[in-house]
Amino acid sequence: MKYATYTANGNTFYGAINDEGAIALSPEFPQWPTLYDVIVADGLNELATAAANKAVTHTEFDYEMVMPNAPRILCVGVNFPDRNAEYKDGQEQPKFMSLFPRFASGFTGHNRNLVRPPENHTLDYEGEVAIVIGKGGRRIQQADAYDHIAALTLCNEGTIRDWVRHAKFNVTQGKNWDKSGAIGPWLVPFTDAAQIDDARIITRVNGEVRQDDVLSRMMFPIRKEIEYISTFMTLKPGDIIVTGTPTGAGARLDPPQYLKPGDRVEIDVEGIGILSNGIEDEIVSKK
C-alpha cells in the first residue's frame, strides 16, 4: 500500500494510491488531519484496513510534498565513496557523517516543477532515499534501528550550488530555497531490511542516467545514521532522514550541467517508486 498527500477539486487529502487513482482516507480520520499525524499515532495499519474495500475517489489529482508539515528533516551529505572522491581533497572516508537541516517549504510534490530562482541558476539534483521515523528514541543501537522506521519515500534534494559556498561552515542557504527539491510521491510502509539494504537508486535527467548506485555502498548505512543522529537528539515520530546521494550530480560533470526549464528529473528506486519533476523559473513580480 502507498499513501500520498494530494489536492483534488481545490481540497487537500491524504489517501491510498493504486493503479486506478487515489482513495481519500483523511475524511474518515479527522483525529489525524495529515499523514504526519498518522505517523505520530502509528496509524498506517488503520489506513490499510480502511482502504482495503474502498473504491477510488479521485482519478485526477495533484501530488503534494508527501508530509508538507514535517517539522524536522535531516539530510546526510557525502555518503557514497565515489561522491567523497568527487571532492578531490585526498581525504578518505570521514570518521563522522556530514549533516544539515532542510525545511518542508523547500520541497514540492511528485510531477510538480522544481523552482529555479532568478538570483542564481545553479539548481542541481540529488536523488536519495528518505526514511520516516515511526518510533522515537534516544541512543538507538544499530541492531534496533530498523524497528524505528515507519515508512520510506524518495527525495530529489535539489540544491542551489553557488549558495552552499556563501559561508565557511554551512550549506543551509543553498539547501533551502522554496520548492527547490521534492519528496514523494508517497509513503511506502517499511516492513523489512530487504526494502533498503541493497536497493538501487537511479537518477535520470531527460532520460539519461546520471546517478546509479546501491544503498549497501553508503559509507554510513541507514542503521548507522539512526544510531548517530539519535545520540545527540531524540528522534521523534514523523522525523525524516534523507540518507545520501550517489556520485553524478550536475555540478561534478565536466562541464557542469545544471537544471533548466524544460528538463525532467526522475529518481527511481524499485519497491518505492519513481519521483518525477520538471523545472521552471520563479516568476518574481516587479514592485
Side-chain angles (χ1 to χ4, degrees):
M1 196 70 74
K2 301 173 292 192
Y3 304 100
T5 301
Y6 66 92
T7 301
N9 302 320
N11 297 306
T12 300
F13 303 88
Y14 64 78
I17 305 296
N18 61 30
D19 292 340
E20 283 72 49
I23 303 169
L25 298 174
S26 45
E28 293 194 29
F29 297 96
Q31 73 274 30
W32 302 333
T34 69
L35 278 179
Y36 170 75
D37 300 294
V38 173
I39 295 293
V40 169
D42 190 22
L44 287 179
N45 287 338
E46 290 189 50
L47 293 194
T49 300
N53 298 311
K54 282 192 171 296
V56 164
T57 55
H58 299 98
T59 56
E60 295 185 5
F61 56 91
D62 296 312
Y63 286 97
E64 302 293 340
M65 192 281 219
V66 69
M67 287 173 53
N69 59 335
R72 303 199 300 186
I73 303 171
L74 202 58
C75 302
V76 181
V78 195
N79 197 22
F80 282 81
D82 295 340
R83 181 86 174 92
N84 185 57
E86 285 180 331
Y87 283 80
K88 298 179 181 179
D89 56 7
Q91 295 184 1
E92 298 299 324
Q93 175 176 331
K95 183 177 181 181
F96 301 110
M97 65 191 72
S98 299
L99 295 168
F100 56 89
R102 282 203 65 153
F103 312 116
S105 58
F107 295 105
T108 189
H110 172 61
N111 274 340
R112 292 180 178 269
N113 288 341
L114 308 186
V115 176
R116 186 176 73 163
E119 288 84 358
N120 193 277
H121 283 175
T122 58
L123 175 61
D124 206 353
Y125 53 87
E126 294 188 9
E128 311 191 37
V129 170
I131 63 170
V132 180
I133 296 298
K135 182 173 73 172
R138 183 85 190 275
R139 299 185 177 90
I140 300 166
Q141 298 300 303
Q142 289 189 49
D144 303 321
Y146 281 2
D147 296 337
H148 292 259
I149 302 176
L152 310 174
T153 189
L154 301 177
C155 178
N156 184 345
E157 209 263 294
T159 304
I160 303 297
R161 292 292 180 197
D162 281 355
W163 278 63
V164 302
R165 305 180 182 96
H166 275 194
K168 187 173 183 179
F169 294 119
N170 70 78
V171 299
T172 303
Q173 308 91 305
K175 294 287 187 177
N176 282 289
W177 287 81
D178 286 355
K179 298 182 179 179
S180 58
I183 294 181
W186 41 61
L187 299 181
V188 174
F190 180 71
T191 56
D192 60 67
Q195 289 175 281
I196 50 178
D197 277 356
D198 291 306
R200 179 172 294 276
I201 183 166
I202 298 172
T203 303
R204 302 182 186 90
V205 179
N206 302 325
E208 177 190 0
V209 173
R210 296 280 186 85
Q211 297 180 296
D212 186 353
D213 216 325
V214 291
L215 298 193
S216 59
R217 282 183 14 93
M218 291 194 301
M219 296 187 296
F220 301 102
I222 291 171
R223 290 183 187 273
K224 179 63 177 178
E225 294 174 4
I226 292 173
E227 178 191 52
Y228 180 73
I229 292 168
S230 69
T231 303
F232 64 85
M233 62 185 275
T234 301
L235 285 173
K236 297 180 179 181
D239 287 345
I240 297 175
I241 300 175
V242 182
T243 60
T245 194
T247 187
R252 298 295 174 176
L253 301 179
D254 186 14
Q257 297 184 40
Y258 297 112
L259 298 173
K260 61 186 183 304
D263 287 345
R264 178 153 293 274
V265 185
E266 293 180 337
I267 316 301
D268 186 348
V269 178
E270 185 176 0
I272 302 178
I274 296 176
L275 173 63
S276 181
N277 298 96
I279 313 298
E280 68 179 53
D281 276 335
E282 181 180 355
I283 299 174
V284 179
S285 59
K286 296 181 179 180
K287 297 182 179 179

